[in-house]
């Protein structure tokens, strides 16, 4: 029997956070190895563990998986969070693509200058309320069900909740025009595995700070001069 | 039976090109052009009663539907990993026409560097290690289509890029000779040419970016 999945990343959100959310939502226990030093990273590289020389990397079921989307798809399918057929999977993939793009605007946030942070905050909020939130509000309103796809809890629900909470961290009342999403947020947050993940002491990572930025730069020798998109 | 998939996009490669490749690779499909855009974006593909957006979602659906996605979860995981890596390389090519003139040489160097130091070595090694014709599971899959597309796209910019990669050279020939791919590579197919000035102008005008 395979052991617990093991996550290789920095001690922070970044691209690994969606994977933590999904594993937690599925009730899967996982281990983590935090990259603190350049030497750790070089050791992983030299050991051939990082297919494209990048993290996230997750050891799962005998594989050293890389590429966030590949990892998430695998976990979703394995734990029945990927719909019941090809068409439901297509919807989940579409919805996750949208929330991924939205969270993408937040990903580089900690690396920006103070001035650019303010500009980017406005961009994130504008995209959320004019492009992304209306799309999901409509989906929920149109079918009136508890979950985004197939009347069943799926990866799409986990990803949307993650995105909502992240945008709320940038503007706390961002859901004020979206009653369906408010109800959705409350519903999904109270699912036992999610509720547990949202409690202190879970493996959820906090909002990235300067220490996180320093660590990433130190380990990867990258991301020194990031401009807002 | 539903009609042909209908593609809505600009008249050029962009993010729709991998979709054209994958649809073409499955021989029985022909497709027509001429919306509810869920996130106000294209590509849009009307297929099987759905108005699909998000390139990756569209490609995954086509791959799944036409048996180009491996035989089980683990093969799908490999295909996904390979496709995601290739997509990262293709993203650099996608953005290249829109970079300012003074950055173009540097960006071309980056594409070359990534291709020959990060991405191509991985697939060279995969092919060498299993000695099979296709990347995953000894069977033609989405990963093979994505890789041949990427090889040709990089070669358009850097003609000798495959010079250190004998396995990829052989792969390129093999894939190019598969009947559906061969047809797609001939003049008159739905394949789009490299982006030109007109395409760039159109994109900038439509997206005002």
């Amino acid at each position: 029997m395979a052991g617990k999945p093991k996550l290789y990343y920095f001690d922070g959100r970044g691209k690994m956070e969606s994977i933590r959310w999904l594993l937690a939502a599925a009730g899967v226990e996982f281990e983590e190895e935090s990259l603190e030093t350049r030497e750790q990273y070089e050791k992983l590289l030299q050991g051939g563990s990082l297919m494209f020389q990048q993290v996230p990397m997750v050891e799962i079921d005998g594989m050293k998986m890389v590429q966030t989307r590949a990892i998430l798809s695998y976990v979703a399918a394995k734990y029945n969070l990927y719909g019941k057929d090809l068409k439901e999977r297509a919807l989940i993939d579409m919805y996750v693509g949208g929330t991924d793009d939205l969270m993408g605007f937040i990903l580089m946030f900690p690396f920006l200058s103070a001035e650019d942070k303010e500009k980017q905050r406005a961009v994130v909020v504008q995209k959320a309320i004019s492009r992304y939130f209306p799309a999901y509000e409509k989906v929920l309103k149109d079918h009136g069900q508890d979950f985004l796809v197939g009347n069943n809890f799926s990866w799409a629900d986990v990803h949307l909740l993650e995105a909502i909470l992240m945008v709320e961290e940038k503007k706390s009342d961002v859901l004020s025009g979206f009653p369906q999403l408010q109800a959705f947020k409350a519903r999904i947050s109270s699912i036992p595995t999610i509720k547990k993940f949202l409690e202190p002491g879970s493996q959820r990572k906090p909002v990235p700070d300067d220490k996180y930025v320093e660590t990433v730069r130190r380990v990867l020798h990258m991301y020194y001069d990031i401009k807002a998109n | 039976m539903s009609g042909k998939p209908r593609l809505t996009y600009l008249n050029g490669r962009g993010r729709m090109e991998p979709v054209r490749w994958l649809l073409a690779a499955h021989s029985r499909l022909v497709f027509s052009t001429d919306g509810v855009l869920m996130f106000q974006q294209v590509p849009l593909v009307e297929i099987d009663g759905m108005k699909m957006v998000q390139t990756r979602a569209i490609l995954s659906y086509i791959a799944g539907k036409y048996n180009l996605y491996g035989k089980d979860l683990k093969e799908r995981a490999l295909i996904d990993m390979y496709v995601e890596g290739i997509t990262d390389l293709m993203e650099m090519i996608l953005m290249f026409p829109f970079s300012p003139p003074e950055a173009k040489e540097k960006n071309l160097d980056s594409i070359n560097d990534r291709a020959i130091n990060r991405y191509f070595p991985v697939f060279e090694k995969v092919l060498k290690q299993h000695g099979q014709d296709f990347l995953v599971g000894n069977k033609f899959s989405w990963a093979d289509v994505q890789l041949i597309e990427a090889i040709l796209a990089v070669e358009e910019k850097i003609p000798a890029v495959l010079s250190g990669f004998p396995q990829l050279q052989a792969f390129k020939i093999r894939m190019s000779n598969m009947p559906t791919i061969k047809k797609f590579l001939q003049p008159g197919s739905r394949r789009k040419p490299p982006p030109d000035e007109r395409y760039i102008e159109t994109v900038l005008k439509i997206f005002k970016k």
Side-chain angles (χ1 to χ4, degrees):
Chain A
M1 179 73 201
K4 298 180 198 174
K6 186 167 178 181
L7 280 50
Y8 292 77
Y9 203 64
F10 316 103
D11 182 19
R13 288 184 181 176
K15 284 188 185 276
M16 188 64 95
E17 194 68 355
S18 296
I19 296 168
R20 296 184 183 104
W21 268 90
L22 191 57
L23 286 168
V28 178
E29 284 181 23
F30 56 92
E31 290 169 0
E32 300 195 66
E33 177 158 320
S34 291
L35 297 181
E36 297 289 333
T37 66
R38 176 75 187 174
E39 288 70 35
Q40 274 175 290
Y41 173 59
E42 283 177 355
K43 191 162 166 228
L44 283 174
L45 281 176
Q46 278 143 32
S49 299
L50 306 179
M51 182 181 283
F52 302 115
Q53 303 150 9
Q54 296 163 318
V55 285
M57 190 270 278
V58 175
E59 283 175 356
I60 184 168
D61 296 341
M63 298 181 287
K64 286 179 164 54
M65 285 200 73
V66 297
Q67 291 292 336
T68 311
R69 193 62 86 48
I71 297 164
L72 287 165
S73 290
Y74 182 78
V75 171
K78 182 174 177 181
Y79 295 103
N80 294 310
L81 294 168
Y82 217 165
K84 70 176 197 295
D85 58 26
L86 217 53
K87 282 203 167 178
E88 285 194 355
R89 219 168 82 196
L91 282 177
I92 291 168
D93 279 339
M94 270 200 286
Y95 298 166
V96 160
T99 39
D100 200 41
D101 285 347
L102 176 56
M103 287 197 274
F105 290 105
I106 302 177
L107 197 67
M108 282 326 222
F109 203 85
F111 295 87
L112 301 173
S113 68
E115 191 193 325
D116 281 352
K117 274 187 171 95
E118 279 318 297
K119 287 190 203 154
Q120 190 70 357
R121 184 189 308 270
V123 167
V124 167
V125 170
Q126 190 260 338
K127 293 281 193 209
I129 66 178
S130 67
R131 174 174 288 188
Y132 295 102
F133 287 174
Y136 301 105
E137 181 81 4
K138 182 173 194 285
V139 167
L140 291 167
K141 188 161 194 216
D142 283 353
H143 63 43
Q145 292 166 1
D146 282 358
F147 306 107
L148 284 169
V149 179
N151 212 8
N152 237 314
F153 182 52
S154 79
W155 172 20
D157 302 302
V158 183
H159 216 244
L160 177 57
L161 177 62
E162 183 189 0
I164 285 171
L165 296 183
M166 281 183 76
V167 180
E168 277 186 331
E169 281 166 353
K170 300 282 171 260
K171 188 172 194 282
S172 57
D173 64 349
V174 73
L175 279 195
S176 57
F178 302 98
Q180 297 283 337
L181 292 180
Q182 289 172 38
F184 174 86
K185 176 189 161 190
R187 268 197 314 274
I188 306 301
S189 300
S190 58
I191 290 174
T193 50
I194 304 277
K195 188 171 184 189
K196 195 166 163 212
F197 189 62
L198 290 171
E199 278 162 6
S202 81
Q203 283 164 293
R204 186 181 182 211
K205 299 294 178 192
V207 179
D209 56 13
D210 288 339
K211 180 160 173 273
Y212 170 75
V213 170
E214 271 167 43
T215 303
V216 174
R217 285 174 173 164
R218 182 174 66 242
V219 171
L220 294 184
H221 294 178
M222 279 173 72
Y223 304 124
Y224 294 107
D225 185 29
I226 301 294
K227 300 279 176 268
N229 48 5
Chain B
M1 179 69 201
S2 43
K4 306 172 206 171
R6 186 185 155 112
L7 278 58
T8 300
Y9 201 63
L10 300 94
N11 188 17
R13 286 183 180 176
R15 293 192 184 281
M16 187 64 97
E17 194 68 354
V19 178
R20 295 185 185 98
W21 270 87
L22 200 57
L23 284 171
H26 184 84
S27 58
R28 279 193 297 284
L29 281 180
V30 290
F31 39 100
S32 67
T33 52
D34 67 31
V36 171
L37 300 177
M38 185 174 181
F39 303 115
Q40 303 150 13
Q41 296 166 317
V42 283
L44 166 73
V45 175
E46 294 173 60
I47 182 168
D48 297 341
M50 298 182 288
K51 288 179 162 57
M52 286 199 73
V53 297
Q54 290 288 328
T55 310
R56 214 173 277 88
I58 297 163
L59 288 164
S60 289
Y61 181 74
I62 295 167
K65 184 175 179 180
Y66 296 106
N67 294 312
L68 295 167
Y69 218 163
K71 72 179 196 297
D72 58 28
L73 218 52
K74 282 208 167 173
E75 285 193 354
R76 219 168 83 194
L78 275 178
I79 290 168
D80 278 340
M81 278 197 276
Y82 296 164
V83 159
E84 290 295 305
I86 295 164
T87 301
D88 284 347
L89 177 61
M90 292 290 284
E91 188 78 11
M92 298 174 79
I93 295 173
L94 188 78
M95 292 303 163
F96 182 80
F98 302 96
S99 50
E102 62 272 15
K104 279 198 158 59
E105 194 180 330
K106 180 168 148 269
N107 287 342
L108 197 58
D109 284 345
S110 292
I111 291 171
N112 188 49
D113 175 61
R114 288 286 189 227
I116 67 176
N117 291 318
R118 175 170 288 187
Y119 296 106
F120 287 175
V122 171
F123 304 109
E124 181 79 6
K125 183 175 179 207
V126 166
L127 291 167
K128 187 160 194 217
Q129 282 190 332
H130 62 43
Q132 293 163 4
D133 282 358
F134 306 105
L135 285 171
V136 178
N138 209 9
K139 195 164 173 264
F140 184 53
S141 78
W142 173 21
D144 300 302
V145 183
Q146 198 77 70
L147 181 56
I148 179 74
E149 181 192 358
I151 284 172
L152 295 180
V154 178
E155 276 187 332
E156 278 167 358
K157 303 221 157 337
I158 305 155
V161 75
L162 280 195
S163 56
F165 302 99
Q167 296 284 335
L168 292 181
Q169 290 171 36
F171 174 86
K172 175 191 161 188
I173 292 168
R174 272 198 313 277
M175 291 305 119
S176 303
N177 283 328
M178 293 188 65
T180 53
I181 304 277
K182 189 171 185 176
K183 198 167 163 210
F184 190 64
L185 290 172
Q186 277 159 3
S189 83
R190 301 306 291 265
R191 187 182 183 209
K192 296 294 178 189
D196 57 12
E197 284 304 315
R198 188 157 159 260
Y199 174 75
I200 295 166
E201 268 170 46
T202 308
V203 172
L204 292 174
K205 195 164 57 186
I206 293 180
F207 296 114
K208 291 194 175 66
K209 196 168 178 191

